[in-house]
Amino acid sequence: KVAAAAAAAVAAAAAVADAAVELRPAALAAEIDAWSARLYAGLNNGVYRCGFATSQGAYDRAARDVAAALDEVEAQLATSRFLCGDKVTEADVRLFPTVVRFDAAYASLFKCSVRRVADLPHLSAWMRDFYLLPGVAATVDVAGYRQSYFGQLFPLNPGGIIPAGPTEVDLGLGTNPERGGFSPAEVFHFK
């Protein structure tokens, strides 16, 4: 649902250029699919495997997968603005919802604490960069993530205590990381 909202927000930015955004260019389809598979297994689903693990072994495997996925993404973003090059693709859209929630919910509540996004400079800058894309900020509610995850997952947080942070400001959202321009031609592929 959130990935769909993020995709819709990114696609809405195309109206600015009066053209349709292409999040899955044919020339990048194999790379996008490879990233999507790795992100789902290691990170998007990995955080839930950590949070709901019922044995130490299952948790340890999931925590290793999450850390490895974060490290792989960090290494990639050290060499390119987005996962598949200099423009947004479906792979970035799949990554953003997990990354923007990571430090606020998954790192503590789901015990995904080996790495934080804040400790990964390229991933943190990518998150701030993606957040500044037209329409994306409207899909983000960090306080709502904390309220929902900590307030509704009784088995993981029986006291119902909701932490005060991190906030959007703490995460640097809304701050330009100076990774490139934001004109539609600079950040999007078009059909």
Side-chain angles (χ1 to χ4, degrees):
K1 178 179 173 183
V2 175
V10 169
V16 174
D18 197 28
V21 167
E22 175 61 74
L23 293 174
R24 189 180 171 73
L28 296 173
E31 186 177 0
I32 291 166
D33 289 346
W35 271 114
S36 294
R38 291 192 308 269
L39 291 172
Y40 177 77
L43 194 58
N44 302 117
N45 189 47
V47 295
Y48 288 94
R49 290 187 297 117
C50 279
F52 293 100
T54 58
S55 71
Q56 187 65 50
Y59 167 78
D60 290 342
R61 284 187 297 280
R64 277 192 302 272
D65 290 347
V66 168
L70 289 171
D71 289 345
E72 183 178 8
V73 169
E74 175 71 5
Q76 177 65 21
L77 293 173
T79 65
S80 64
R81 184 174 182 188
F82 298 104
L83 285 175
C84 297
D86 61 349
K87 296 183 179 178
V88 175
T89 67
E90 180 183 304
D92 298 287
V93 174
R94 290 178 182 273
L95 176 61
F96 184 73
T98 302
V99 169
V100 78
R101 289 172 171 74
F102 197 89
D103 289 0
Y106 303 142
S108 57
L109 184 63
F110 286 7
K111 301 175 260 343
C112 298
S113 54
V114 174
R115 312 255 188 296
R116 294 177 313 146
V117 170
D119 300 325
L120 302 167
H122 302 291
L123 180 57
S124 181
W126 172 90
M127 176 184 67
R128 295 189 315 273
D129 199 13
F130 195 93
Y131 179 86
L132 291 174
L133 295 174
V136 173
T139 71
V140 176
D141 181 3
V142 175
Y145 304 152
R146 286 194 321 275
Q147 178 73 35
S148 177
Y149 281 96
F150 285 90
Q152 296 178 16
L153 293 175
F154 178 79
L156 300 179
N157 187 24
I161 305 299
I162 299 167
T167 66
E168 290 178 21
V169 171
D170 297 332
L171 297 175
L173 298 176
T175 304
N176 188 340
E178 304 296 332
R179 289 171 52 93
F182 288 93
S183 73
E186 291 175 290
V187 294
F188 300 118
H189 298 274
F190 292 97
K191 294 180 182 178

